[in-house]
């Protein structure tokens, strides 16, 4: 993960330097004005969204402290148990909170919960499990019933009706989430089949799991043991 963050930082730095260099070369006055207006707009947008995120993050924290997250987990248990069959109760609680935040359009608030759930799913294997991939896909497609973040951004930009896109957004997120889930299920069936066959073959023939160089040594050790037994039998 640190290597990925370092690489992304380098990429963003290169893009920033290239765009800024081109603007300074073509129109220096516009480059300075763009930097000032962009910084002003970023600060203004952050302050406008601060109240929205503070409210919803406090709401989710209150739900967790009151134990209502268990009720949400029970409500979504049939769906979560089918999508994440190998997760325990604590992991399902984080997944439930992640689902709830995504349904309300709080992508940034849902990210820490998804990270906590994936950390609990980690088995130490270098490969991601199917449950990890499923949670990543569902978080990326982000089924949203009430996209509060986008509504807040549209209201900040001066939209007369900031929530007029709710139906198209609902249709798009439902389709994207459904396609993502189906894709993960199909890929897990395709790629897990060779692994299951390999595990079954290893269970049937344990000697095949040894390296080729180690198998003759195993036979030699058996021969030595049989010779020792014969020698003991002749001595008696």
């Amino acid at each position: 993960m640190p290597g990925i963050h370092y690489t992304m930082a380098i990429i963003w730095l290169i893009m920033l330097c290239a765009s800024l260099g081109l603007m300074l070369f073509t129109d220096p006055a516009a480059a300075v004005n763009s930097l000032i207006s962009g910084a002003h707009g970023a600060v203004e947008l952050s302050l406008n969204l601060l109240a929205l995120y503070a409210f919803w993050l406090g709401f989710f924290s209150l739900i967790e402290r009151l134990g209502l997250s268990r009720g949400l987990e029970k409500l979504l248990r049939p769906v979560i148990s089918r999508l994440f069959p190998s997760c325990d109760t604590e992991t399902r609680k984080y997944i439930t909170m992640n689902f709830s935040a995504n349904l309300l359009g709080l992508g940034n608030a849902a990210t820490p919960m998804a990270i906590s759930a994936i950390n609990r799913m980690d088995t130490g294997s270098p490969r991601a499990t199917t449950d990890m991939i499923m949670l990543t896909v569902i978080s990326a497609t982000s089924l949203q019933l009430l996209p509060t973040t986008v509504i807040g951004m549209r209201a900040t930009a001066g939209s007369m009706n900031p929530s007029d896109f709710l139906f198209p957004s609902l249709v798009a997120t439902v389709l994207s989430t459904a396609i993502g889930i189906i894709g993960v299920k199909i890929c897990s069936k395709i790629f897990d089949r060779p692994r299951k066959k390999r595990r079954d073959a290893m269970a049937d023939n344990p000697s095949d799991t040894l390296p080729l160089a180690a198998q003759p040594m195993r036979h030699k050790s058996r021969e030595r043991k049989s010779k020792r037994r014969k020698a003991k039998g002749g001595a008696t």
Side-chain angles (χ1 to χ4, degrees):
M1 293 298 291
I4 296 176
H5 293 163
Y6 182 73
T7 304
M8 292 300 298
I10 292 177
I11 292 174
W12 280 109
L13 180 61
I14 293 173
M15 293 174 61
L16 178 63
C17 293
S19 59
L20 183 60
L22 290 174
M23 290 187 67
L24 289 174
F25 181 76
T26 55
D27 192 353
V32 175
N33 291 331
S34 298
L35 288 174
I36 295 174
S37 61
H40 177 75
V43 173
E44 183 179 2
L45 179 62
S46 301
L47 292 177
N48 289 328
L49 293 178
L50 179 62
L52 179 66
Y53 276 97
F55 170 77
W56 286 113
L57 287 174
F59 177 74
F60 282 114
S61 178
L62 184 63
I63 286 178
E64 186 174 1
R65 291 191 177 185
L66 291 176
L68 298 178
S69 58
R70 297 178 182 176
L72 288 174
E73 193 271 332
K74 291 180 180 179
L75 182 64
L76 297 175
R77 182 178 297 172
V79 178
I80 294 177
S81 60
R82 288 182 177 272
L83 296 177
F84 307 94
S86 60
C87 292
D88 56 9
T89 304
E90 189 69 19
T91 305
R92 288 176 182 174
K93 185 186 75 172
Y94 287 116
I95 295 174
T96 302
M97 301 298 289
N98 174 265
F99 279 14
S100 302
N102 279 325
L103 289 175
L104 294 174
L106 302 173
N108 292 336
T111 301
M113 303 169 193
I115 293 174
S116 299
I118 289 180
N119 285 334
R120 290 188 60 86
M121 295 177 190
D122 188 12
T123 58
S125 174
R127 295 178 179 271
T129 62
T130 303
D131 290 342
M132 290 181 179
I133 298 172
M134 179 66 75
L135 181 58
T136 303
V137 170
I138 292 177
S139 298
T141 54
S142 184
L143 174 60
Q144 297 184 11
L145 298 179
L146 185 63
T148 53
T149 299
V150 181
I151 292 175
M153 294 177 67
R154 285 168 59 88
T156 302
S159 175
M160 298 298 295
N161 191 3
S163 60
D164 59 355
F165 68 100
L166 287 180
F167 182 72
S169 173
L170 179 61
V171 173
T173 54
V174 167
L175 289 177
S176 62
T177 303
I179 293 172
I181 291 173
I182 294 172
V184 173
K185 289 292 186 181
I186 293 174
C187 291
S188 65
K189 294 292 184 182
I190 294 173
F191 292 104
D192 284 347
R193 190 175 301 170
R195 296 179 186 175
K196 290 181 180 179
K197 289 182 178 180
R198 195 179 303 115
R199 287 195 295 265
D200 294 339
M202 290 179 179
D204 295 336
N205 299 314
S207 60
D208 294 341
T209 59
L210 291 173
L212 293 177
Q215 291 181 11
M217 298 297 295
R218 184 174 181 178
H219 293 301
K220 290 180 179 179
S221 62
R222 288 180 178 177
E223 291 178 359
R224 292 195 193 100
K225 289 181 180 179
S226 62
K227 290 180 180 179
R228 290 174 184 173
R229 290 174 183 173
K230 290 180 181 179
K232 290 181 180 179
T236 55

